[in-house]
Amino acid sequence: MVFNWSSHGNLSNSSVGNIPHYDPMRLRSFVTFNLYVGALTVVLSFIFNFYIILAFVRRPRLITSFTIQILNFVVIEFVMLLIEGPLNIVAFLNPRLLTLKPFCAIYKFGAWTFPSLALLQQMAIGLDRWLALLAPVWYRQKTIAFGVKVTVGLCGAYLLLYLPLFIADVIHTKTVTVGARCDIHRVFVSYQIVVRMITYYLPLFFTYVSYPILLGMIRGRQRRIASSANTRTDKTSMLGTEKRADANADLEPSVTAVKAQALKKAVDRANARRSGNLSMWMMLVQIVCSAPLTVTYTLIQYHPNEAQIPYLHDFNSFSVMLTSLNMVVDPLIYWTFFRDLREETIRLTRCRCFFILNER
């Protein structure tokens, strides 16, 4: 998500050092509506993500090798809301704060870092689904620690790429004029495009391209498994009718063990199906909500004549509102597909002393 309610201007190779100030908003009522809806969704998503994190803390058994990826994503979004939310509110109420070099630097760091980390973590969730499909034997042995290492590795790789650009930009920036964008960098234009491509557009491309393919492969595999299971059930039923009663009595322990094993496989398939459906819905919502922002924000940043595109900034405010709406929908998806998480969250909402963490 990229909060950008109060920043104006453009970025191009020819105007990196001289960013003009103008009023890009034309549909004031439309922008105001988007602002209020976006603010409401940010508050709701903050509350929802807080309850989800608390539910995982109260019930550690909810954390598995798959849900750890979801938890990491929720934590990244929660920290983004905790830091970016107040920064953008303050900047909107008092835009002159953006002319202060320390405030502008913090604003810039958050505007680039948190959306990229969220997208990278979503890519990690997507890769997790691919591993479950292509390497099921290894995937069953995957640990929670592996999921933590993946997220930490992504964060470290991002900082390794971005910090040189950020530090150089902070050193280079002497003053920030009123109306200048505070979420862009004025140094190393070629390098910042490389960083943006790797940390922002690559995860988006992965989401847009790989997930439709993955969805088709998963659906096809589920149909084959269901068909195979029905065939085995029919054969077992036919063999069972041909057995004598005394033979069935002798084989009763074995039959019980086979039924238990079949039940375990059915439960595993159901869990895998829920995990796959959750990921698919997450990525579908992500594509719908992020595609407009990808277009408008890219035009604002890199189009040399973005000021001449009618209503671009107005529709960019709508795109930002969609991304904040995405952060409200994601928790609803988690609660839909994870019954235990939903039940634990309901307990939290009913408990007046939810901060007590002694129930394990």
Side-chain angles (χ1 to χ4, degrees):
M1 177 181 178
V2 181
F3 292 101
N4 192 24
W5 299 108
S6 57
S7 299
H8 313 316
N10 66 339
L11 170 64
S12 65
N13 291 352
S14 60
S15 60
V16 170
N18 182 21
I19 301 177
H21 172 61
Y22 61 92
D23 187 357
M25 304 300 181
R26 300 186 182 186
L27 304 176
R28 287 293 176 182
S29 299
F30 181 67
V31 173
T32 302
F33 171 79
N34 293 330
L35 173 63
Y36 282 111
V37 173
L40 176 61
T41 55
V42 166
V43 172
L44 288 176
S45 59
F46 181 86
I47 296 173
F48 289 173
N49 285 316
F50 173 74
Y51 273 110
I52 288 175
I53 293 173
L54 195 58
F56 276 112
V57 172
R58 283 172 57 93
R59 291 290 185 272
R61 64 182 178 80
L62 296 175
I63 304 176
T64 65
S65 59
F66 171 70
T67 59
I68 185 62
Q69 301 285 2
I70 300 297
L71 178 58
N72 293 341
F73 180 71
V74 172
V75 170
I76 291 173
E77 282 197 336
F78 184 77
V79 174
M80 176 169 62
L81 291 167
L82 192 63
I83 297 176
E84 283 280 271
L87 277 177
N88 281 273
I89 292 173
V90 171
F92 181 79
L93 295 176
N94 186 7
R96 288 192 173 274
L97 287 175
L98 294 173
T99 63
L100 302 177
K101 185 177 177 179
F103 188 90
C104 183
I106 296 173
Y107 184 94
K108 183 182 305 179
F109 181 85
W112 274 61
T113 298
F114 293 113
S116 294
L117 291 182
L119 286 172
L120 288 169
Q121 183 59 30
Q122 281 192 331
M123 186 175 69
I125 296 173
L127 291 173
D128 183 272
R129 294 295 84 204
W130 276 105
L131 289 173
L133 182 66
L134 301 178
V137 176
W138 176 87
Y139 185 83
R140 295 188 192 99
Q141 302 173 352
K142 186 165 65 73
T143 63
I144 296 174
F146 178 81
V148 176
K149 292 176 182 177
V150 168
T151 300
V152 172
L154 289 174
C155 293
Y158 170 80
L159 293 175
L160 188 64
L161 282 171
Y162 175 66
L163 281 180
L165 173 64
F166 175 73
I167 294 172
D169 185 78
V170 171
I171 295 174
H172 176 268
T173 302
K174 303 302 181 182
T175 59
V176 183
T177 59
V178 176
R181 291 184 62 90
C182 219
D183 59 340
I184 64 172
H185 299 74
R186 296 166 175 80
V187 296
F188 304 157
V189 176
S190 298
Y191 179 69
Q192 69 175 274
I193 293 176
V194 172
V195 174
R196 207 55 161 166
M197 292 293 295
I198 295 175
T199 63
Y200 188 84
Y201 291 104
L202 177 61
L204 278 178
F205 179 81
F206 177 85
T207 300
Y208 294 165
V209 175
S210 73
Y211 264 87
I213 300 173
L214 181 61
L215 177 60
M217 294 178 65
I218 289 177
R219 293 303 184 191
R221 183 184 180 188
Q222 289 176 349
R223 285 194 294 268
R224 289 194 300 271
I225 291 175
S227 176
S228 177
N230 292 334
T231 302
R232 287 196 300 268
T233 301
D234 293 340
K235 291 181 179 179
T236 302
S237 178
M238 292 174 61
L239 290 173
T241 58
E242 297 174 358
K243 296 293 184 180
R244 297 192 308 268
D246 55 347
N248 287 338
D250 294 337
L251 294 175
E252 184 175 354
S254 299
V255 172
T256 302
V258 170
K259 288 183 177 180
Q261 185 178 7
L263 178 62
K264 183 179 182 302
K265 289 182 178 180
V267 172
D268 291 341
R269 285 197 298 268
N271 290 334
R273 186 166 56 253
R274 280 195 297 269
S275 300
N277 290 338
L278 181 144
S279 300
M280 292 302 105
W281 277 104
M282 277 186 63
M283 295 306 114
L284 177 62
V285 172
Q286 166 68 19
I287 291 172
V288 171
C289 293
S290 67
L293 181 64
T294 302
V295 175
T296 59
Y297 194 68
T298 301
L299 288 174
I300 290 173
Q301 279 201 313
Y302 300 113
H303 195 282
N305 296 316
E306 54 89 13
Q308 300 176 7
I309 302 177
Y311 307 111
L312 175 59
H313 287 267
D314 303 282
F315 285 104
N316 183 66
S317 70
F318 175 74
S319 302
V320 174
M321 185 271 290
L322 281 182
T323 59
S324 62
L325 183 62
N326 183 15
M327 293 196 294
V328 174
V329 175
D330 280 345
L332 299 179
I333 295 175
Y334 307 150
W335 289 325
T336 299
F337 290 100
F338 288 134
R339 185 185 63 183
D340 291 342
L341 180 62
R342 180 174 67 249
E343 292 176 350
E344 180 60 28
T345 306
I346 292 174
R347 292 192 191 99
L348 287 172
T349 58
R350 292 175 177 174
C351 180
R352 297 180 180 178
C353 51
F354 61 85
F355 53 85
I356 299 178
L357 305 177
N358 56 359
E359 293 186 21
R360 297 286 179 178

